[in-house]
Amino acid sequence: MFELLFSIDRESHIPMYHQIYQYLRTQILSGKIDKNTKLPSVRRLAEQLNVSRNTTQVAYEQLQSEGYIRSENKKGYFVEAMILEDMLAFDTKKQSAPIEALTKPELIDFRLGTVDEENFPLKKWRMFTNKVMKDPDMYTYGEKQGDRRLRVALEDYLFQSRGVKTSAEQIMIGGSTQQLLVLVSLLLKDSVQSIAVEDPGYDVARELFSLMSFSVHPIPAKDDGIMVDQLVSADTQLVYVTPTHHFPYGGTIPVSQRVELIQWANEVGGYIIEDDYDSEFRYIHQPVPSLQSIDSTQRVIYMGTFSKALLPTIRVSYMALPEELMVKYRKTMAVFEQTASAIHQRTLATFMNEGHWYPHLRKMKALYKRKMNLLLNELTKHFGDSITIKGGNSGIFIIIEVKTDVSEEQLLEDAFEEGVVVYPCSRYYVKERPVYPHVQMGLGNLTEEEIVDGVSRLASAWL
């Protein structure tokens, strides 16, 4: 078993759990901890470092959520076997060079799906968790539809922030957006056999629909979202869209097209699945009202998540179903237990009800806006007209179109040689293929210094 040999800096402004996370992440990425190595248990690591179990638990959960380690039932935590290959081995025949490069401790990872950990309200979260653990409700399975206090808080929040017209009785809580998409698929599978998706679009949702035996129809999407005119000619009654912050381009479907989407759904008697995954973070104007807010026909299934605005490891997502589908849910889906942690749900409800949610959002929006502006400025300074930036007005990631004859794969390899990890976009396309390679960059957990350094290294790699 691997022994963790480093000391916690108790005078540092960096939280202790984050110090543990950073150290283990660096050791894994450098190859100093071999793949499949068993790590100390939460209790043993806490004893080694003289910290609380909660501190080591949070560090492990973050590493697990980012894919660096895995948890095996009744065995413990292990370094993820495929981490080196996934990060570096774009060609398995060329693994030696990336693995050598992996020893660079200053690796800068523009990973998607991360958030700024240092600004997570850890003290408040601990306090509220301790508080809710005194409630006898926390020692049962909890409500299948989700904690009612959280659903009531969501009803108010979604109406105030996104114009969503729903009730606590129509809101479902789930452990992830993917899990809720499975639930929707089961609700609709008897009446709908096909679904339209954006191309390019969220590949995980597309693959999930295929696994659920839907016939998937890719509909071209431009910078501002899906082309509704082509959807009209598709043989389907169901469409999955990301209208407020298109994934991956980052654009927003204009109001005229939103109205056309609603009209289409009403005419075919179908449904629109609206994935509103990070609408909180819009930097040049107020968030555009949700698609659901202009739907008077109950044809929009609205989805959102706390993973971007709070913390991925909380694993709390939500969905507002039209009343017609809620009737069907109550008849057929009662067999399914709740998948999101009842403790996290109640803690989150308390966090919202005691007035901490909106201040947290304002703080994170200001932080990500500053990081986004810095990233855009640095990219423009170094690359000028040799790239086109997409999606810089919202969210916590961007797409850059690199105007070059070099392949996407080679761009990623060249970036890694300079100690930078950026991500491919090819997996988001089905039929539509761009002329130039597109690369995705997340900024959630990077410091401003890392952003500046990372873009500078990209320029050294690509120019």
Side-chain angles (χ1 to χ4, degrees):
M1 182 186 295
F2 172 75
E3 293 290 333
L4 193 63
L5 302 175
F6 94 108
S7 299
I8 293 285
D9 182 358
R10 300 178 190 275
E11 303 299 322
S12 173
H13 69 283
I14 300 175
M16 288 188 290
Y17 82 90
H18 193 67
Q19 293 182 47
I20 299 170
Y21 158 82
Q22 286 179 319
Y23 176 80
L24 282 170
R25 180 176 178 272
T26 300
Q27 296 297 302
I28 292 169
L29 288 175
S30 69
K32 293 179 180 177
I33 307 179
D34 292 334
K35 58 186 180 182
N36 294 322
T37 296
K38 184 177 182 181
L39 298 174
S41 67
V42 169
R43 177 179 180 178
R44 181 178 177 82
L45 183 55
E47 292 173 349
Q48 287 181 21
L49 300 178
N50 193 26
V51 296
S52 71
R53 295 184 196 177
N54 189 53
T55 298
T56 53
Q57 182 70 52
V58 171
Y60 274 175
E61 287 178 353
Q62 186 60 35
L63 287 165
Q64 184 179 358
S65 72
E66 295 182 15
Y68 294 108
I69 65 176
R70 67 180 185 277
S71 175
E72 295 186 6
N73 188 33
K74 297 183 179 180
K75 292 183 179 180
Y77 290 95
F78 296 80
V79 174
E80 179 54 54
M82 296 302 292
I83 188 67
L84 300 183
E85 290 83 353
D86 288 345
M87 293 284 292
L88 304 169
F90 305 107
D91 181 344
T92 56
K93 297 178 181 179
K94 301 177 182 178
Q95 285 189 13
S96 58
I99 290 174
E100 290 173 5
L102 192 58
T103 60
K104 299 177 181 179
E106 69 277 11
L107 186 75
I108 296 175
D109 189 353
F110 286 91
R111 183 182 178 91
L112 277 69
T114 64
V115 298
D116 192 293
E117 299 168 29
E118 292 188 21
N119 286 279
F120 177 71
L122 185 60
K123 290 183 179 179
K124 289 188 178 71
W125 195 262
R126 284 175 173 169
M127 178 179 70
F128 291 140
T129 299
N130 290 336
K131 179 179 179 179
V132 304
M133 286 298 292
K134 296 177 182 179
D135 191 324
D137 290 349
M138 295 300 98
Y139 297 87
T140 67
Y141 284 107
E143 299 175 74
K144 292 184 178 182
Q145 197 172 322
D147 187 272
R148 179 167 178 79
R149 297 184 197 181
L150 178 57
R151 289 187 282 122
V152 170
L154 272 169
E155 176 185 347
D156 179 69
Y157 165 64
L158 292 177
F159 180 74
Q160 296 297 329
S161 66
R162 307 294 294 123
V164 172
K165 302 181 291 290
T166 190
S167 67
E169 284 67 35
Q170 292 172 260
I171 294 176
M172 308 286 302
I173 306 297
S176 68
T177 299
Q178 293 88 343
Q179 183 264 327
L180 292 174
L181 286 174
V182 169
L183 185 60
V184 168
S185 299
L186 291 172
L187 282 172
L188 296 175
K189 69 181 182 68
D190 292 336
S191 57
V192 180
Q193 284 72 50
S194 64
I195 184 169
V197 297
E198 298 161 320
D199 182 16
Y202 185 34
D203 57 319
V204 174
R206 185 176 67 238
E207 292 170 9
L208 184 148
F209 293 133
S210 293
L211 288 172
M212 297 302 294
S213 299
F214 284 102
S215 175
V216 178
H217 298 284
I219 304 297
K222 303 304 180 185
D223 290 357
D224 60 356
I226 196 167
M227 298 178 68
V228 182
D229 58 334
Q230 295 201 32
L231 172 64
V232 172
S233 61
D235 183 20
T236 184
Q237 296 173 282
L238 183 63
V239 63
Y240 168 85
V241 291
T242 52
T244 300
H245 187 215
H246 173 262
F247 189 93
Y249 282 158
T252 299
I253 296 181
V255 172
S256 59
Q257 287 181 242
R258 289 171 180 249
V259 172
E260 290 176 5
L261 268 174
I262 298 293
Q263 290 175 340
W264 167 84
N266 195 36
E267 288 171 2
V268 301
Y271 291 100
I272 302 166
I273 301 175
E274 177 181 13
D275 190 346
D276 208 24
Y277 63 97
D278 68 353
S279 61
E280 294 89 354
F281 303 122
R282 196 155 193 89
Y283 308 128
I284 59 172
H285 52 70
Q286 291 299 310
V288 176
S290 68
L291 193 63
Q292 198 267 11
S293 70
I294 63 172
D295 171 30
S296 60
T297 59
Q298 291 272 315
R299 291 293 169 186
V300 175
I301 300 165
Y302 180 86
M303 291 186 171
T305 180
F306 287 98
S307 294
K308 307 298 186 293
L310 198 58
L311 196 68
T313 47
I314 298 300
R315 307 307 295 162
V316 175
S317 296
Y318 49 87
M319 169 174 67
L321 288 175
E323 183 56 42
E324 182 181 4
L325 291 183
M326 276 307 305
V327 172
K328 190 171 184 179
Y329 166 81
R330 295 185 187 106
K331 289 181 178 178
T332 62
M333 297 289 113
V335 66
F336 289 97
E337 292 289 351
Q338 176 56 228
T339 58
S341 163
I343 297 171
H344 284 333
Q345 289 184 64
R346 182 64 61 82
T347 301
L348 180 53
T350 307
F351 186 79
M352 297 176 76
N353 290 332
E354 297 200 10
H356 300 287
W357 176 240
Y358 285 105
H360 174 73
L361 283 183
R362 289 193 294 269
K363 176 182 177 182
M364 299 309 293
K365 182 176 179 179
L367 173 65
Y368 290 141
K369 181 179 181 179
R370 187 169 69 246
K371 287 186 180 184
M372 179 64 79
N373 287 338
L374 177 62
L375 178 58
L376 299 180
N377 290 337
E378 290 298 308
L379 285 168
T380 301
K381 179 176 74 175
H382 285 281
F383 290 96
D385 295 335
S386 65
I387 65 170
T388 297
I389 302 171
K390 301 181 179 183
N393 294 326
S394 57
I396 52 178
F397 70 85
I398 60 167
I399 299 292
I400 54 174
E401 178 185 29
V402 187
K403 299 173 183 177
T404 178
D405 293 331
V406 177
S407 69
E408 176 191 88
E409 179 181 358
Q410 189 62 52
L411 285 175
L412 269 59
E413 288 190 13
D414 291 345
F416 195 84
E417 287 298 319
E418 292 293 331
V420 179
V421 180
V422 291
Y423 292 84
C425 289
S426 55
R427 63 183 182 271
Y428 303 137
Y429 295 88
V430 182
K431 296 179 179 178
E432 299 292 308
R433 295 286 173 176
V435 175
Y436 295 114
H438 285 52
V439 174
Q440 199 168 30
M441 301 174 67
L443 54 80
N445 199 33
L446 293 178
T447 65
E448 295 182 24
E449 292 76 13
E450 287 173 325
I451 291 172
V452 172
D453 189 14
V455 174
S456 177
R457 296 189 201 182
L458 278 182
S460 297
W462 292 349
L463 295 179

